[in-house]
């Protein structure tokens, strides 16, 4: 919770706020509502933060005591910014306003009442690293038998426990629905969860999920406390309501049971986080839970041009489950407004070249690189683009995290391949051997000397066999799985291509191992599959490994004389939510990539993918480029790609259509979106 001093407090300042001048009519109606319960659907760029801070100021003007107002947000940054703006707007009148994240609010509730749950008031909060360490100790002491199948690592276990709490599902249900690989281990996992919970209590520690679930339990077990907090907070405001999970919403509904004013602000069309527990039904069914709620739709957009908004409007209209709205730009007086550009490229390499060329052109025309962002659905979509940018010495930063080739699961596969190519690769060997249970730095060093005990070259299997007797007992079975898998791809005894090597490693060992080793295992496996496809363009293992090394070390080579702040942005769409740029490229817009094949299995998943596309489009202020490659390499061959339905659902009139000389306009075949074979066969010139 944030508190601000009132050193320059002007008691009359709050009375001088000109709401009608500061707000548009839609914002003003929401801010000044007398409704006890209100749902505000605020589209992208519509000023939802402005609505919230002015709503607080309005309540203060009406005489609501600041300590009776609770403002809940999702990030500490948002909380600090919002509280500061409220303070400045109200002239210091919001000094005692209660505001912060759901987690910080949970801590404030728990601290004075911890004894009721068996804790002491001075409890400590475990961060992710601390929670992992504590769970690792539980796993070590449990001495769990893991023969037959790999047992999930602490990161994966914590992901399971968190899903169970935040989705209000039993751990068994979570495992069955999301982690079916480990279903036969359910009993052991449940026992670990109980032990982890017991140790937290014994050590007077809580993790982040406890900060939500324990206040909920406290309110359910102690109705008198719930009533006290219901009376205390007469007005509750919630930011980014579409991102709440089941536990957060249940906590909110209990707290607001007797409130004089509940306002939730969000955008159902920007609900894109179901994979991390967000419950879309919370905002969609709000008016069903609160039949008397007033609904306000904020459609004036202060960010994007109208042509960009037309694309967003038409796209999201295809979703059935939504609150309908139509965004209108505030900037209507611009003399020349360019249409979004739809670019059709022959293949993914041409796509990378096209984007890089356009970036260079924009840069020459005066657009700073920091005002340009390339958005993609998944990390692996940008592999060819990263190569092209590096080749052209265009500095870039990845907003969404580390580069594709630097991700842990990609480096694991790389290490396996490096070890087959060069068994004297100490770094690769030690990275892999330390993944085994009970193998620390000293043991890894001892095993390395056993492995490298002869002159190379010799078969990889000979070195692996020397290690086997020296592997700790608890790791021996896993080692044997790994060893046998590596022997099958040994270049001395086999003649496999790089894609065949990756396939073999996945089939015999790596697939099951990664599901146990890493959170978000299925997504990581998807990226390994894309690495396999990427490897098809190289003549042999040596070329492939060299290119991977170059891409991994690209950071230090591309800085040049550019200022750190002026770099092209690359980001997944999820990570770009809340950001905006003058120029946005959305790439790899083909069926199976965006939307993903996995999302097509259920209508609700497909609608979330469309909401993700909507978020991507609305990041752009001035210029929007949508790019679709007609082919990509699969299984050693070029396979035709269908344009994403998110393109073919749109009207061609919204776009300036640009095609490579060898490419076809995707709108020409809209009526047969799932059967393009004839169109391609009729083409006078094959793009390859």
């Amino acid at each position: 919770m944030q508190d601000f001093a009132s050193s320059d407090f002007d008691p009359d300042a709050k009375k001088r706020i000109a709401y009608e001048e500061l707000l548009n009519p839609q914002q003003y109606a929401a801010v000044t509502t007398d409704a006890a319960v209100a749902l505000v659907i605020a589209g992208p760029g519509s000023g939802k933060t402005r609505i919230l801070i002015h709503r607080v100021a309005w309540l203060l003007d009406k005489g609501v005591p600041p300590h009776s107002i609770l403002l809940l947000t999702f990030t500490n940054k948002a909380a600090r910014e919002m509280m500061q703006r409220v303070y400045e707007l109200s002239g210091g009148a919001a000094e005692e306003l209660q505001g912060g994240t759901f987690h910080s609010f949970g801590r404030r509730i728990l601290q004075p009442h911890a004894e009721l749950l068996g804790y002491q008031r001075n409890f400590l909060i475990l961060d992710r690293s601390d929670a992992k360490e504590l769970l690792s100790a539980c796993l070590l002491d449990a001495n769990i038998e893991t023969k037959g199948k790999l047992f999930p690592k602490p990161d994966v276990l914590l992901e399971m426990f968190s899903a169970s709490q935040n989705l209000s599902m039993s751990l068994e249900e979570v495992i069955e629905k999301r982690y079916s690989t480990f279903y036969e281990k359910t009993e052991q996992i449940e026992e670990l969860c109980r032990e982890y919970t017991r140790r937290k209590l014994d050590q007077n520690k809580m993790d982040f999920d406890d900060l939500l679930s324990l206040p909920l339990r406290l309110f359910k077990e102690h109705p008198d406390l719930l009533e006290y907090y219901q009376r205390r907070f007469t007005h509750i405001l919630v930011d980014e309501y579409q991102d709440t999970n089941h536990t957060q919403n249940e906590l909110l509904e209990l707290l607001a049971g007797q409130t004089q004013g509940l306002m939730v602000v969000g955008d159902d069309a920007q609900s894109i986080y179901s994979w991390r527990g967000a419950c879309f039904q919370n905002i969609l069914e709000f008016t069903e839970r609160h039949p008397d709620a007033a609904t306000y739709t904020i459609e004036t957009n202060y960010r994007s041009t109208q042509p960009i908004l037309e694309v967003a409007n038409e796209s999201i209209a295809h979703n059935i489950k939504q609150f309908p709205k139509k965004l209108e730009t505030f900037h209507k007086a611009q003399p020349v407004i360019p249409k979004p550009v739809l670019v059709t490229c022959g293949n993914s390499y041409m796509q990378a070249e096209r984007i890089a060329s356009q970036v260079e052109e924009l840069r020459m025309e005066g657009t700073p690189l920091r005002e340009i962002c390339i958005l993609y659905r998944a990390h692996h979509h940008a592999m060819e683009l990263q190569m092209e940018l590096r080749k052209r010495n265009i500095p870039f930063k990845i907003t969404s995290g580390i580069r594709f080739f630097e991700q842990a699961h990609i480096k694991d596969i790389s290490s396996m391949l490096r070890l087959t190519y060069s068994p004297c690769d100490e770094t690769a060997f030690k990275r892999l051997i330390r993944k085994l249970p009970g193998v620390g730095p000293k043991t890894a060093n001892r095993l390395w000397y056993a492995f490298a005990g002869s002159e190379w070259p010799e078969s990889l299997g000979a070195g692996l066999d020397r290690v086997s007797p020296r592997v700790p007992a608890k790791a021996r079975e896993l080692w044997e799985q790994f060893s046998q898998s590596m022997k099958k791809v040994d270049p001395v005894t086999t003649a496999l291509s790089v894609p065949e090597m990756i396939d073999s490693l996945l089939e015999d060992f790596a697939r099951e191992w990664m599901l146990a080793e890493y959170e978000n295992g299925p997504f990581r496996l998807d990226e390994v599959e894309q690495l396999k496809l990427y490897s098809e363009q190289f003549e042999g293992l040596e070329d492939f490994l060299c290119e991977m090394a170059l891409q991994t070390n690209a950071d230090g080579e591309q800085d040049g004389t550019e200022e750190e702040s002026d770099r092209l942005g690359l980001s997944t769409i999820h990570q770009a939510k809340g950001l905006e740029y003058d120029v946005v490229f959305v790439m790899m817009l083909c069926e199976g990539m965006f939307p993903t094949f996995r999302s097509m299995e259920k209508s609700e998943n497909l609608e979330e993918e469309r909401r993700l596309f909507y978020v991507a489009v609305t990041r752009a202020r001035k210029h929007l480029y949508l790019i679709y490659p007609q082919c990509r390499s699969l299984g050693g061959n070029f396979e035709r790609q269908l344009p994403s339905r998110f393109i073919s659902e749109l009207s061609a009139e919204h776009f300036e259509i640009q095609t490579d000389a060898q490419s076809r306009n995707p709108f020409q075949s809209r009526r047969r979106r799932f059967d393009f074979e004839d169109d391609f066969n009729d083409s006078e010139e094959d793009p390859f």
Side-chain angles (χ1 to χ4, degrees):
M1 305 280 179
Q2 302 291 320
D3 295 320
F4 293 91
S6 56
S7 56
D8 299 318
F9 174 59
D10 178 356
D12 295 322
K14 61 179 183 166
K15 299 178 182 179
R16 297 198 298 263
I17 300 174
Y19 294 97
E20 291 188 80
E21 296 178 13
L22 295 171
L23 305 169
N24 67 43
Q26 292 175 337
Q27 293 171 334
Y28 181 80
V31 165
T32 61
T33 182
D34 292 326
V37 181
L39 169 65
V40 181
I41 302 297
S46 64
K48 67 177 174 60
T49 301
R50 175 179 290 266
I51 292 170
L52 284 166
I53 64 172
H54 282 82
R55 177 62 178 174
V56 172
W58 177 266
L59 292 173
L60 295 172
D61 279 352
K62 292 293 188 179
V64 178
H67 63 265
S68 298
I69 302 173
L70 175 63
L71 178 58
L72 293 172
T73 65
F74 268 82
T75 66
N76 290 317
K77 180 182 178 182
R80 288 192 298 269
E81 179 183 340
M82 207 169 295
M83 295 290 287
Q84 183 63 46
R85 288 177 63 179
V86 168
Y87 173 77
E88 293 170 353
L89 181 65
S90 65
E95 182 182 0
E96 298 179 359
L97 174 69
Q98 300 293 301
T101 65
F102 276 91
H103 291 89
S104 66
F105 174 70
R107 181 185 65 83
R108 286 290 183 95
I109 294 294
L110 289 168
Q111 211 158 26
H113 311 295
E115 291 93 340
L116 296 173
L117 299 172
Y119 286 86
Q120 300 174 35
R121 294 190 179 188
N122 61 339
F123 61 83
L124 297 175
I125 299 172
L126 297 168
D127 61 19
R128 182 73 177 192
S129 177
D130 294 334
K132 181 179 175 180
E133 186 174 340
L134 181 59
L135 185 54
S136 297
C138 296
L139 191 59
L140 183 64
D141 293 343
N143 196 28
I144 291 176
E145 177 58 60
T146 61
K147 291 183 179 180
K149 285 195 173 184
L150 291 166
F151 199 80
K153 294 294 194 301
D155 276 330
V156 181
L157 290 167
L158 288 172
E159 192 178 60
M160 293 178 182
F161 301 166
S162 181
S164 176
Q165 290 192 64
N166 292 323
L167 299 175
S168 295
M169 296 169 58
S170 71
L171 190 53
E172 182 179 6
E173 288 179 291
V174 169
I175 296 170
E176 183 179 12
K177 292 181 179 181
R178 295 191 171 197
Y179 306 90
S180 56
T181 303
F182 307 111
Y183 188 71
E184 66 181 51
K185 301 290 185 182
T186 297
E187 187 174 337
Q188 293 168 312
I189 295 171
E190 288 177 330
E191 179 56 37
L192 268 176
C193 185
R194 287 190 290 270
E195 178 61 17
Y196 174 64
T197 302
R198 184 188 66 77
R199 291 198 186 192
K200 285 189 294 181
L201 184 60
D202 289 347
Q203 298 179 25
N204 200 35
K205 297 175 180 175
M206 299 181 188
D207 61 24
F208 274 35
D209 293 315
D210 292 328
L211 299 179
L212 299 178
S213 62
L214 290 180
L216 187 59
R217 178 185 152 196
L218 187 69
F219 286 161
K220 289 181 176 181
E221 294 179 358
H222 301 276
D224 55 326
L225 275 178
L226 173 60
E227 186 178 354
Y228 167 77
Y229 284 104
Q230 287 175 334
R231 292 197 309 269
R232 177 175 176 181
F233 298 116
T234 61
H235 290 80
I236 303 173
L237 298 92
V238 183
D239 187 24
E240 301 286 8
Y241 181 65
Q242 78 279 349
D243 294 334
T244 53
N245 60 39
H246 188 280
T247 300
Q248 288 167 327
N249 192 60
E250 190 175 2
L251 183 63
L252 177 65
E253 292 285 355
L254 280 177
L255 198 61
Q258 301 180 26
T259 186
Q260 298 176 26
L262 170 64
M263 176 176 284
V264 298
V265 181
D267 184 8
D268 59 295
Q270 298 186 76
S271 179
I272 59 174
Y273 295 118
S274 65
W275 52 273
R276 70 182 189 193
C279 181
F280 178 61
Q281 301 302 318
N282 290 346
I283 190 168
L284 192 67
E285 298 173 356
F286 184 83
T287 54
E288 295 179 20
R289 297 191 304 274
H290 302 276
D292 298 329
T295 301
Y296 300 90
T297 304
I298 316 299
E299 297 172 305
T300 301
N301 176 285
Y302 292 86
R303 176 186 302 158
S304 308
T305 65
Q306 193 59 38
I308 292 172
L309 297 180
E310 291 298 337
V311 171
N313 289 334
E314 186 176 13
S315 176
I316 203 64
H318 287 83
N319 273 7
I320 297 173
K321 297 180 179 179
Q322 63 168 311
F323 292 98
K325 60 181 171 293
K326 188 175 182 180
L327 300 177
E328 297 283 344
T329 188
F330 178 78
H331 310 287
K332 296 181 178 179
Q334 296 177 339
V336 180
I337 305 177
K339 289 183 177 181
V341 179
L342 176 64
V343 183
T344 306
C345 300
N347 58 42
S348 56
Y349 299 99
M350 296 176 183
Q351 175 183 239
E353 292 171 358
R354 181 70 172 82
I355 293 173
S357 295
Q358 189 64 53
V359 167
E360 288 180 327
E361 184 176 330
L362 288 164
R363 192 182 187 186
M364 290 179 63
E365 292 173 353
T367 303
L369 289 178
R370 62 182 176 274
E371 287 296 342
I372 307 173
C373 189
I374 319 300
L375 299 180
Y376 37 82
R377 177 63 179 85
H379 288 289
H380 60 79
H381 292 178
M383 282 191 295
E384 295 92 346
L385 178 61
Q386 291 183 36
M387 292 174 58
E388 187 66 24
L389 294 173
R390 176 179 168 270
K391 184 171 69 176
R392 299 188 186 215
N393 202 31
I394 299 175
F396 65 93
K397 62 179 180 179
I398 300 181
T399 305
S400 53
I402 59 178
R403 296 168 182 261
F404 178 83
F405 294 101
E406 295 171 347
Q407 298 176 102
H409 53 292
I410 299 299
K411 293 188 74 171
D412 290 341
I413 295 294
S414 172
S415 294
M416 294 178 193
L417 296 174
R418 284 166 50 194
L419 198 61
T420 65
Y421 177 74
S422 176
C424 58
D425 192 329
E426 181 178 357
T427 303
F429 178 86
K430 287 184 175 178
R431 175 183 179 87
L432 296 169
I433 201 74
R434 288 194 63 181
K435 300 284 186 177
L436 298 177
V439 177
K442 290 184 179 179
T443 303
N445 200 52
R446 176 169 55 81
L447 295 175
W448 162 250
Y449 284 116
F451 179 73
S454 181
E455 293 275 330
W456 303 105
E458 62 173 353
S459 72
L460 178 65
L464 296 170
D465 289 341
R466 284 195 300 273
V467 173
S468 294
R470 297 171 171 84
V471 172
K474 66 172 60 178
R476 196 156 294 160
E477 183 168 343
L478 185 58
W479 165 260
E480 287 302 320
Q481 293 178 33
F482 168 73
S483 179
Q484 293 303 315
S485 179
M486 292 292 289
K487 289 177 182 179
K488 290 183 179 181
V489 298
D490 185 355
V492 175
T493 57
T494 62
L496 301 178
S497 66
V498 179
E500 290 172 333
M501 294 175 74
I502 296 175
D503 250 343
S504 179
L505 290 168
L506 284 171
E507 182 66 26
D508 292 335
F509 175 76
R511 177 173 285 106
E512 189 173 311
W513 175 71
M514 283 190 179
L515 288 172
E517 181 78 14
Y518 296 115
E519 56 185 338
N520 298 323
F523 296 99
R524 294 175 187 260
L525 286 172
D526 285 347
E527 295 198 323
V528 175
E529 289 289 342
Q530 294 304 315
L531 178 71
K532 182 186 73 175
L533 299 177
Y534 170 75
S535 71
E536 294 168 355
Q537 65 183 293
F538 298 95
E539 292 185 4
L541 182 58
E542 180 181 3
D543 289 343
F544 177 59
L545 292 175
C546 286
E547 185 58 37
M548 287 188 71
L550 289 171
Q551 292 300 319
T552 300
N553 294 317
D555 269 337
E557 299 178 6
Q558 64 177 6
D559 290 346
T561 60
E562 294 290 335
E563 295 182 7
E564 181 70 24
S565 61
D566 195 31
R567 290 174 172 248
L568 176 69
L570 273 64
S571 178
T572 63
I573 303 167
H574 284 101
Q575 290 291 329
K577 187 175 178 293
L579 304 177
E580 56 187 73
Y581 303 87
D582 281 351
V583 185
V584 168
F585 294 79
V586 187
M587 62 180 293
M588 203 59 78
L589 281 164
C590 43
E591 290 284 289
M593 306 293 277
F594 190 17
T596 65
F597 283 121
R598 189 181 288 112
S599 70
M600 298 179 194
E601 297 173 358
K602 295 182 178 179
S603 60
E604 58 264 32
N605 294 341
L606 185 58
E607 290 209 348
E608 179 160 330
E609 286 286 289
R610 190 175 286 107
R611 295 195 295 270
L612 190 62
F613 178 73
Y614 179 84
V615 168
V617 168
T618 54
R619 298 312 92 195
R621 298 192 194 102
K622 301 176 181 178
H623 302 281
L624 173 67
Y625 294 83
L626 305 181
I627 304 183
Y628 152 58
Q630 289 189 313
C631 294
R632 64 184 178 123
S633 178
L634 290 171
N637 301 306
F638 280 108
E639 182 172 291
R640 308 289 185 180
Q641 294 295 294
L642 304 176
S644 168
R645 65 190 66 198
F646 303 149
I647 294 176
S648 58
E649 289 170 347
L650 301 172
S651 303
E653 64 188 32
H654 292 318
F655 297 99
E656 175 190 338
I657 299 173
Q658 298 179 2
T659 60
D660 292 343
Q662 298 171 325
S663 302
R664 297 286 304 273
N665 180 353
F667 289 108
Q668 293 175 352
S669 304
R670 292 180 62 183
R671 59 185 176 83
R672 300 198 321 274
R673 181 161 45 83
F674 296 103
D675 187 11
F676 273 32
E677 197 63 36
D678 291 341
D679 276 335
F680 285 120
N681 290 339
D682 290 342
S683 179
E684 295 180 2
E685 193 173 348
D686 193 289
F688 310 99

